[in-house]
Amino acid sequence: MRQLPIWKPILVIAVSLLALYFALPTLYEDTPPAWLKGDKIHQGLDLQGGLYLLYEVEVEKAVEQDAESLVDTVKSVMRDARFRYRSVARSGVDRVTLRLSPESEAAKIEAALKKEVADVVITPKGADGFELVFTPEKIKSTEEFAVQQAIQIMRARIDEFGVAEPSIQKQGKDRIIIQLPGVKEPERAKNLIGRTARLEFKIVDDKNNEQALATGRAPPGTALYSFQDKGDGIAPGKILLKKRTVLSGKHLDDARPSYDQYNMPYVSVKFDRLGGRIFARLTGEHVNDRMAIVLDGVVFSAPVIREKIVGGQASISGSFSPQDAHDLAIVLRAGALPAPLKILEERTVGPTLGRDSVNQGINSIVIGGILVVIFMALYYKGFGMLANVAVVLNIIILIAVLAGMQATLTLPGLAGTVLLLGMAVDANVLIFERIREELRSGKTPLAAIDHGYGKAFSTILDANITTLITAIVLFQFGTGPVRGFAVTLSIGLVASMFTAIFVTRVLLAMIVRNRRLNKLSI
Amino acid sequence: MRFFNKLTDFDFTGRRQLAFMLSGALIVVSLLSLVTQGLNFGIDFTGGTLVQVRFEQNAPIVQMRQELDKLDLGDMAIQEFGDPREALIRFEKQGKDNKEQQELLGGVMGALEGIVGKGKVEQRRVEFVGPQVGDELAEQGLLAMLLSLGAILIYVAFRFEARFAVGAVAALIHDVFLTMGFFSLIHHEFTLVVVAALLTVVGYSLNDTIVVYDRIREEMKRLKKQPLGTVINEAVNRTLSRTLVTSLTTILVLLALLVLGGAVIHDFALTLFFGVVVGTYSSIFVASPVIMFMDKGKPSPLQGGKPTVESA
């Protein structure tokens, strides 16, 4: 006690200054001055407002689409080799059934298919056909690719939407977590991110349209699609389209919002070279037909083709607001999601609620802190003040570490801080009670201090380690705010051990160093 | 200042029958409440949608109920939240996909604007949890609880003795049970945040228990000849000031949190408040006496009694 190694006070001072340096930017209301390089504490979505989304990529839809294109491939193989067959159709998520005519040569067909299609297991199905099933590896890679691509496309969309610090993470096999802090228009953001944006061009079957609408029955190769209400007087309803997609959004090069001569917003799209060629040929073949522009299965518009369109430009009109046109251009440019998204979890916190939470949280910390400080000063007098110094330093270290680690402070985290305040004094209470006991049993002040610290140490260690265990479990198994709470709790525990045991002791040693103690203020 | 001017020598272990009867009665009440009315699980666990809105004037709860009933939202609850201008709407229905979910929310906000006029109601918070995620969250919550109990059991058994570990875990289960029973009784919403609070209670209560255990271990060495009851009494009495001071400081800040922390954090603070009180009680009256039952198979009636303090 009387011999205080010089490194101890130096360590205390160094830690205090360092903590203060990292904590200061957070403590500033506005922008901190330039010499303070540290970061502010990163506030969780529940504190700064924002949007948390958990999506599931419906990967089986991506497999289904693969199966659909397998149908096309099989058909073209059969056509090219002039094999006879009865039908080819998707017969499950990951399989296609080919039914042969009785006179077709099964062995030859099987050989031809094996040559043309990869990653598929071909098995005879009954006497008159084959079943083509994707291999498990193929399905797995399709699913993985769908999730990866979905992440990429979502990122592109969010980047264009403009969010300061978006976070997009993959979770598990087919889930994506998106966090958008500070988003002011959550509805719009959700629309933008979650939209599949599958763009298709299909030809209207005007010949059978009226009859189909009347009977509700579509001739083979066609289907009734719903027509979006455009607010242009034409009632929303159904329209009969040929099922085949003649051109898709895959061939888009660019999409931009624009205004027509009546100042109505529309989206102009530019095809890539192949797309431009297909579009020119298509419009050439279908002059005077109507071509439907279908977005996510809903017909946007179905203008009559007046002439062959070369140059690879087209426009999508509808009754857009300028914002709709802008957002549509973004999703078209970023591309269609490979599979639809299902929203599993969503949490939106408005900016005003976040601000209220921060204010209320800080108020309770300050008031709670003051109550504890007053109580400690009354109960333990001089030593109580020592504990108070430790508590204040504890909070500063907590803020500094949170800011330095770029950990996220959440509402339960803030509440955890309040709780820590109450518990932070515990180590000191243990020590001081011990010192009181030692004094009671007649020890000298200095011996009482030494014994007090010594005996309390293992208790403090055991008590804190067990609490730390719960914090770690919380962190491992909690989500979002709960994890934030666990982080705050763990840092606070470690910091309180340092301040309560080490710092108070060094301060004590510095105080009593040159004085002879007859009585302790405890 | 101090709570006790003299050394206390309350006979805690002597009253253990009384304490166990009290704890037993409370557990029965909790159990009855949990069985009969269950926990009011929030959407975190059940799945569903929650919307928190703020009106310019007081929330027109009755009208809201009338208007929203027309939307056919499934099981629905509307309540004032913290401030008379704020309301919480909870409903079961969910959209099939992104778009339907949007339309659902749009419909709710539209209906509210229909009551008070456009721009006079602010959407402050929206939470939507799909049923599948709800189940997973519930599973994870339970798993976290069991795992932390397991980890604690191992740590305490390693650092102390097996019977101490049993005592500590008995006290923790006691605390968790009572707190959940309390939640069932007051019928507040049981959410993920409450689970976090529950685990914190576990941490706090354990902290308290370990401090007493540490002292019991120390006193066992000092009072080798004394019966266990005496040793435990001595340890609990010696740590009583500390137990009360720490509980008090913690309760002081929790009071600040309860009064000033706002509605969102209210249930978190309430859980902790109740848990700290129960945790303090259990570290004295449950965790320690349980060791006596574990002592050599069965308790001896002679083991209670006043502590005899040796001259130190």
Side-chain angles (χ1 to χ4, degrees), chain A residues 177-193:
Chain A
I177 295 178
I178 296 187
Q179 294 186 67
L180 306 176
V183 163
K184 293 201 181 55
E185 303 161 284
E187 302 304 312
R188 207 182 137 202
K190 268 188 289 175
N191 256 327
L192 196 66
I193 298 164

Side-chain angles (χ1 to χ4, degrees), chain A residues 54-56 175 187 190-191 194-195 341-350 352-353 356 360 363-364 367-369 371-372 375-376 378-381 411-412 415-416 418-419 421-423 425-426 429-430 433-434 436-437 440 455 458-459 461-467 469-470 473-474 477 479 482 485 522, chain B residues 1-3 7 44 52 54 96-98 101-102 105 122-130 132-133 136-137 140 143-144 147-148 151-152 155-156 159-160 192-193 196 199-200 202-204 206-207 210-211 214-215 217-218 238 241-242 245-246 248-250 252-254 256-257 260-262 264-265 268 272:
Chain A
L54 174 64
Y55 282 112
E56 186 178 75
R175 291 182 177 182
E187 302 304 312
K190 268 188 289 175
N191 256 327
R195 201 195 255 179
L341 296 179
K342 198 165 133 197
I343 193 161
L344 293 183
E345 194 181 346
E346 171 195 338
R347 292 172 198 264
T348 317
V349 175
T352 58
L353 181 63
D356 286 359
Q360 288 165 337
N363 270 348
S364 19
I367 302 286
L371 290 175
V372 170
F375 174 80
M376 289 299 282
L378 285 177
Y379 198 81
Y380 292 113
K381 302 191 202 77
L411 190 58
V418 178
L419 181 72
L421 260 177
M423 291 171 70
V425 293
D426 184 52
V429 171
L430 276 164
E433 287 296 323
R434 275 294 181 149
R436 279 183 173 181
E437 264 183 61
R440 229 183 263 127
K455 285 190 174 168
S458 81
T459 311
L461 203 62
D462 277 331
N464 282 347
I465 285 175
T466 41
T467 312
I469 290 175
T470 39
V473 174
L474 263 186
F477 292 91
T479 51
V482 176
F485 171 72
I522 191 166
Chain B
M1 189 176 119
R2 43 194 67 180
F3 288 133
L7 269 181
D44 285 343
Q52 186 183 337
R54 170 182 263 176
K96 249 200 342 265
D97 55 27
N98 214 7
Q101 188 64 22
Q102 297 281 60
L105 277 176
E122 180 199 351
Q123 181 179 306
R124 300 198 95 199
R125 173 163 64 121
V126 176
E127 288 182 6
F128 160 76
V129 181
Q132 186 190 356
V133 177
E136 285 170 22
L137 291 177
Q140 274 181 4
L143 191 65
L147 270 175
S148 57
I152 288 158
Y155 180 81
V156 176
R159 280 289 286 160
F160 297 84
L192 264 189
V193 171
L199 277 158
T200 314
V202 167
Y204 180 89
L206 191 68
N207 210 59
I210 295 296
V211 169
D214 233 56
R215 195 57 182 246
R217 189 170 52 181
E218 193 183 325
R238 286 277 181 116
S241 288
R242 173 268 161 194
V245 168
T246 301
L248 195 76
T249 55
T250 310
L252 278 180
V253 275
L254 285 177
L257 202 60
L260 305 166
V264 180
I265 208 68
F268 183 82
L272 284 178

Side-chain angles (χ1 to χ4, degrees), chain A residues 137-304:
Chain A
E137 297 80 34
K138 162 74 175 166
I139 292 173
K140 200 171 157 236
S141 78
T142 302
E143 290 179 346
E144 272 169 12
F145 183 70
V147 176
Q148 252 168 36
Q149 215 187 358
I151 290 178
Q152 247 173 41
I153 287 164
M154 285 162 128
R155 184 165 289 137
R157 290 179 183 180
I158 291 166
D159 280 350
E160 294 217 36
F161 182 63
V163 178
E165 291 171 6
S167 130
I168 305 167
Q169 292 165 282
K170 186 174 170 213
Q171 192 205 42
K173 185 176 131 256
D174 54 3
R175 291 182 177 182
I176 300 171
I177 295 178
I178 296 187
Q179 294 186 67
L180 306 176
V183 163
K184 293 201 181 55
E185 303 161 284
E187 302 304 312
R188 207 182 137 202
K190 268 188 289 175
N191 256 327
L192 196 66
I193 298 164
R195 201 195 255 179
T196 311
R198 171 181 293 278
L199 183 68
E200 295 162 304
F201 294 84
K202 289 174 192 279
I203 300 297
V204 180
D205 187 357
D206 268 320
K207 218 167 52 194
N208 300 311
N209 191 22
E210 261 173 51
Q211 204 202 336
L213 289 184
T215 58
R217 235 175 295 151
T222 63
L224 283 165
Y225 283 76
S226 39
F227 210 124
Q228 189 204 20
D229 176 13
K230 304 199 309 175
D232 56 0
I234 301 169
K238 301 270 182 184
I239 185 168
L240 188 70
L241 305 184
K242 300 213 164 120
K243 266 192 190 163
R244 203 163 98 82
T245 299
V246 289
L247 182 58
S248 81
K250 252 193 272 182
H251 293 294
L252 280 192
D253 222 12
D254 198 9
R256 298 280 162 198
S258 206
Y259 291 90
D260 65 11
Q261 69 260 44
Y262 308 109
N263 213 25
M264 290 295 289
Y266 70 97
V267 178
S268 76
V269 295
K270 193 170 175 298
F271 294 107
D272 59 16
R273 272 179 49 206
L274 179 58
R277 275 212 299 278
I278 299 173
F279 195 61
R281 196 193 69 215
L282 199 70
T283 48
E285 281 169 9
H286 287 276
V287 174
N288 288 333
D289 282 340
R290 284 199 285 167
M291 185 172 64
I293 298 167
V294 188
L295 187 70
D296 290 339
V298 177
V299 178
F300 244 73
S301 60
V304 177

Side-chain angles (χ1 to χ4, degrees), chain A residues 51 74 115 121 130 194 210 305 362 382 401 422 438 469 501:
Chain A
L51 184 57
V74 172
K115 221 169 79 186
V121 180
F130 292 110
E210 261 173 51
I305 301 168
I362 290 173
V401 175
E438 299 296 327
I469 290 175
I501 301 171

Side-chain angles (χ1 to χ4, degrees), chain B residues 9-304:
Chain B
D9 60 348
F10 299 116
D11 180 13
F12 292 108
T13 50
R15 303 216 176 85
R16 66 179 183 276
Q17 312 291 2
L18 197 68
F20 284 156
M21 267 156 65
L22 177 65
S23 290
L26 289 176
I27 285 176
V28 168
V29 171
S30 297
L31 197 65
L32 275 178
S33 179
L34 283 170
V35 168
T36 55
Q37 54 177 354
L39 284 167
N40 179 16
F41 283 111
I43 61 157
D44 285 343
F45 302 120
T46 59
T49 309
L50 174 152
V51 186
Q52 186 183 337
V53 288
R54 170 182 263 176
F55 294 88
E56 282 186 354
Q57 273 100 37
N58 284 359
I61 304 276
V62 178
Q63 264 176 294
M64 286 168 72
R65 195 159 286 138
Q66 282 169 2
E67 287 302 311
L68 293 177
D69 264 342
K70 294 178 194 162
L71 295 182
D72 187 24
L73 297 171
D75 210 5
M76 181 179 64
I78 300 175
Q79 68 187 87
E80 192 185 297
F81 192 63
D83 182 311
R85 287 178 305 160
E86 294 206 10
L88 211 59
I89 307 159
R90 257 210 285 158
F91 54 90
E92 194 186 22
K93 190 171 177 178
Q94 302 147 11
K96 249 200 342 265
D97 55 27
N98 214 7
K99 206 166 138 220
E100 266 190 41
Q101 188 64 22
Q102 297 281 60
E103 281 163 7
L104 200 61
L105 277 176
V108 169
M109 288 313 285
L112 298 184
E113 283 187 330
I115 301 171
V116 292
K118 214 169 164 60
K120 297 203 164 152
V121 50
E122 180 199 351
Q123 181 179 306
R124 300 198 95 199
R125 173 163 64 121
V126 176
E127 288 182 6
F128 160 76
V129 181
Q132 186 190 356
V133 177
D135 286 347
E136 285 170 22
L137 291 177
E139 245 169 56
Q140 274 181 4
L142 194 68
L143 191 65
M145 195 75 87
L146 291 176
L147 270 175
S148 57
L149 285 179
I152 288 158
L153 198 69
I154 293 167
Y155 180 81
V156 176
F158 179 72
R159 280 289 286 160
F160 297 84
E161 295 169 33
R163 54 183 169 160
F164 282 67
V166 173
V169 169
L172 293 183
I173 292 171
H174 170 268
D175 297 347
V176 170
F177 220 87
L178 288 194
T179 312
M180 278 171 64
F182 169 73
F183 244 80
S184 166
L185 274 177
I186 63 169
H187 221 66
H188 272 230
E189 220 183 334
F190 194 79
T191 60
L192 264 189
V193 171
V194 173
V195 171
L198 218 50
L199 277 158
T200 314
V201 167
V202 167
Y204 180 89
S205 159
L206 191 68
N207 210 59
D208 249 17
T209 303
I210 295 296
V211 169
V212 177
Y213 278 8
D214 233 56
R215 195 57 182 246
I216 293 177
R217 189 170 52 181
E218 193 183 325
E219 298 296 328
M220 276 168 127
K221 285 182 202 146
R222 196 166 67 90
L223 309 171
K224 273 195 187 108
K225 301 275 161 57
Q226 299 291 333
L228 188 58
T230 312
V231 174
I232 291 175
N233 264 342
E234 176 70 6
V236 174
N237 273 300
R238 286 277 181 116
T239 49
L240 193 58
S241 288
R242 173 268 161 194
T243 305
L244 293 180
V245 168
T246 301
S247 295
L248 195 76
T249 55
T250 310
I251 282 173
L252 278 180
V253 275
L254 285 177
L255 277 177
L257 202 60
L258 264 178
V259 176
L260 305 166
V264 180
I265 208 68
H266 185 267
D267 283 347
F268 183 82
L270 194 67
T271 314
L272 284 178
F273 187 86
F274 185 84
V276 166
V277 174
V278 173
T280 305
Y281 162 84
S282 76
S283 67
I284 297 174
F285 288 101
V286 180
S288 308
V290 165
I291 305 174
M292 295 182 63
F293 283 104
M294 298 289 297
D295 190 40
K296 287 165 201 141
K298 56 186 176 194
S300 145
L302 296 171
Q303 274 179 351

